[in-house]
Amino acid sequence: SPDGDSPDQSWLAIGSDPSGNIFISGHDHVQNSMLYRLDKSTGVVSWVGDARTASEEADNWKATETAEKFHTRPTHHNGQMYVATLDRSSIDGAFLETRGFHWYAFDPDDNSFVDLSAAEPDGVGAKHLQVVSIAADAVNNRIYGITIPENKVLYFDVENQKTTVLGSPPEWEGYFYTNRFMWTDSNGHLYFTGGTERSQWNRGEDPLVLNYVWKYDPAIGFQKTDYQLQTLSAIEVGQWDTERQNLYVSDDMGHIYQFTDANGSWEYLGRPDFPAGETSSGNNKVWVFQLDPNGDTIYLGRSDNFESPNELWQFDITSRQSSILAKLPDLDASSGSERFITGYDSWDLDGNFYISSFSMYDDENAYLIGVNPSQLRAALNQE
């Protein structure tokens, strides 16, 4: 950034707009979070704003305040790109030490990046709360968010520029892992999940409560659906098809599901042919998920596998068969040798998807990687 921030991480924070521009958040996980744009017309990645600068310009930044992450995928809604800050992400009471999260929006028409929460009470979306995932709701003109570790659902009313905290289902008790992907349907209902069996984050949450997708209906409130999950593992990534009829999602174990908007159906499709979860050879975290525009193939990423290389896999939706597409170090030694790869639903208009590659606290800025799967398959003689 202009102030010299070094963004060495990018957690599930790549998105795109209808024009095919790619937006990526970089953050240092300590002080500040930045937003960048890859301009489709120039091919140049440039800084468009950061949390501290935008809040200082609105006189809404405290001397002791930090913005560890824009963990949220930059999300397009009515011509603007939205993000929110996450200043503590541990599954404990550390968030209570924070001031609270901020909403930000980038307007490409005037190239402005503004702190939307500056006009809200106390200058934050909600006191102390920290947002880890957001989802746009075109029906109700809202941006939904969910907090960690309380799993409180909230929303930003775009017209009135106001945040409302809805809370959680009464069955959700205690602090536990929060989903990194949630979605809204054509009726304006929000779908969300929580919990994980991974020892790194599990807090003894009840699988009987959390092995299902939950819904928020503005007219009714919170409801448990009959959409069952394969295991205690919150949904992490997802993407709608181009007609916004079918949504494909996955947890970080690679279990892939299909949600059909027209009839509200839910189906488990399978998972890639590599180990799920924690093994002696790696953690097999699936944080890359890209649905090909033709709607027949999903590209997934496997990372955090100790000394084993990060990999891209392809999953055929019709046959439900999978195969490895490439090992990232074979494509590029520098970016391919980082610990994590993340990114979902981030395509330009030329058949390329984009992911981030990084390690933690290594003083190396995160990489933005573009992949053209058709060209890659041809180059690898997989066509």
Side-chain angles (χ1 to χ4, degrees):
S1 74
D3 287 343
D5 301 289
S6 296
D8 69 348
Q9 299 170 49
S10 180
W11 293 103
L12 294 165
I14 303 181
S16 56
D17 67 14
S19 298
N21 297 309
I22 303 299
F23 290 83
I24 177 171
S25 165
H27 24 270
D28 59 17
H29 214 296
V30 179
Q31 296 290 333
N32 198 18
S33 300
M34 286 63 70
L35 185 66
Y36 303 84
R37 175 177 55 182
L38 171 60
D39 190 305
K40 68 178 182 64
S41 62
T42 65
V44 174
V45 178
S46 59
W47 170 90
V48 300
D50 65 78
R52 182 177 59 236
T53 299
S55 294
E56 286 177 343
E57 289 177 350
D59 194 24
N60 191 35
W61 188 260
K62 303 299 183 182
T64 59
E65 194 165 11
T66 56
E68 287 188 358
K69 292 178 280 190
F70 288 146
H71 197 294
T72 54
R73 174 184 178 273
T75 299
H76 181 269
H77 177 70
N78 287 352
Q80 300 198 49
M81 301 297 295
Y82 291 85
V83 292
T85 50
L86 174 62
D87 202 32
R88 296 291 188 276
S89 56
S90 53
I91 308 176
D92 54 33
F95 73 99
L96 294 170
E97 303 170 1
T98 70
R99 180 185 176 199
F101 79 96
H102 297 237
W103 293 105
Y104 297 87
F106 173 69
D107 188 338
D109 289 340
D110 59 10
N111 207 40
S112 63
F113 185 71
V114 299
D115 180 350
L116 299 174
S117 295
E120 296 200 86
D122 300 315
V124 292
K127 191 174 181 180
H128 302 312
L129 298 185
Q130 298 297 325
V131 169
V132 68
S133 308
I134 63 175
D137 176 8
V139 176
N140 298 296
N141 197 20
R142 298 173 175 178
I143 308 296
Y144 279 102
I146 192 168
T147 70
I148 187 170
E150 290 187 303
N151 290 281
K152 286 186 176 180
V153 175
L154 50 83
Y155 69 86
F156 182 73
D157 184 314
V158 174
E159 181 179 357
N160 297 309
Q161 301 284 283
K162 177 184 177 182
T163 300
T164 298
V165 179
L166 299 169
S168 307
E171 297 89 343
W172 287 30
E173 299 178 347
Y175 296 166
F176 53 84
Y177 190 82
T178 308
N179 68 192
R180 269 52 173 173
F181 179 83
M182 53 187 186
W183 71 96
T184 58
D185 64 15
S186 60
N187 296 309
H189 302 149
L190 175 73
Y191 298 84
F192 58 99
T193 55
T196 180
E197 67 180 32
R198 287 188 184 273
S199 60
Q200 180 179 359
W201 298 303
N202 181 269
R203 295 296 183 270
E205 53 266 34
D206 187 354
L208 295 179
V209 172
L210 296 171
N211 273 4
Y212 294 86
V213 177
W214 286 72
K215 178 171 73 171
Y216 174 74
D217 181 339
I220 299 174
F222 294 108
Q223 300 171 286
K224 182 181 179 181
T225 74
D226 59 0
Y227 305 161
Q228 190 163 6
L229 304 177
Q230 291 295 299
T231 187
L232 180 61
S233 189
I235 299 301
E236 295 279 310
V237 286
Q239 183 178 336
W240 288 93
D241 61 19
T242 55
E243 303 298 324
R244 200 175 168 83
Q245 295 180 351
N246 298 294
L247 172 72
Y248 300 91
V249 301
S250 172
D251 58 21
D252 70 5
M253 308 273 188
H255 297 103
I256 301 171
Y257 306 88
Q258 178 179 340
F259 170 80
T260 301
D261 183 76
N263 58 9
S265 65
W266 177 259
E267 182 182 5
Y268 174 60
L269 301 183
R271 62 176 310 280
D273 191 21
F274 56 75
E278 299 162 315
T279 71
S280 59
S281 61
N283 287 317
N284 302 293
K285 289 173 179 170
V286 176
W287 286 330
V288 168
F289 190 95
Q290 307 283 352
L291 174 66
D292 197 282
N294 62 25
D296 59 10
T297 305
I298 298 169
Y299 303 98
L300 304 100
R302 175 191 184 199
S303 66
D304 194 19
N305 290 305
F306 308 146
E307 299 303 319
S308 299
N310 294 334
E311 299 170 343
L312 293 176
W313 282 68
Q314 50 195 357
F315 180 88
D316 185 280
I317 294 173
T318 301
S319 69
R320 305 189 182 183
Q321 299 299 305
S322 67
S323 61
I324 186 171
L325 179 60
K327 297 181 180 180
L328 260 67
D330 293 342
L331 306 180
D332 182 78
S334 296
S335 62
S337 298
E338 299 293 329
R339 181 176 176 184
F340 305 106
I341 51 174
T342 78
Y344 64 91
D345 188 10
S346 48
W347 293 79
D348 62 21
L349 302 183
D350 298 316
N352 307 299
F353 67 77
Y354 294 82
I355 63 175
S356 63
S357 177
F358 59 94
S359 298
M360 297 181 68
Y361 309 119
D362 63 351
D363 295 320
E364 292 183 10
N365 285 15
Y367 290 93
L368 174 63
I369 301 173
V371 178
N372 187 299
S374 296
Q375 293 180 8
L376 182 56
R377 275 197 302 270
L380 298 173
N381 296 315
Q382 293 187 16
E383 291 286 14

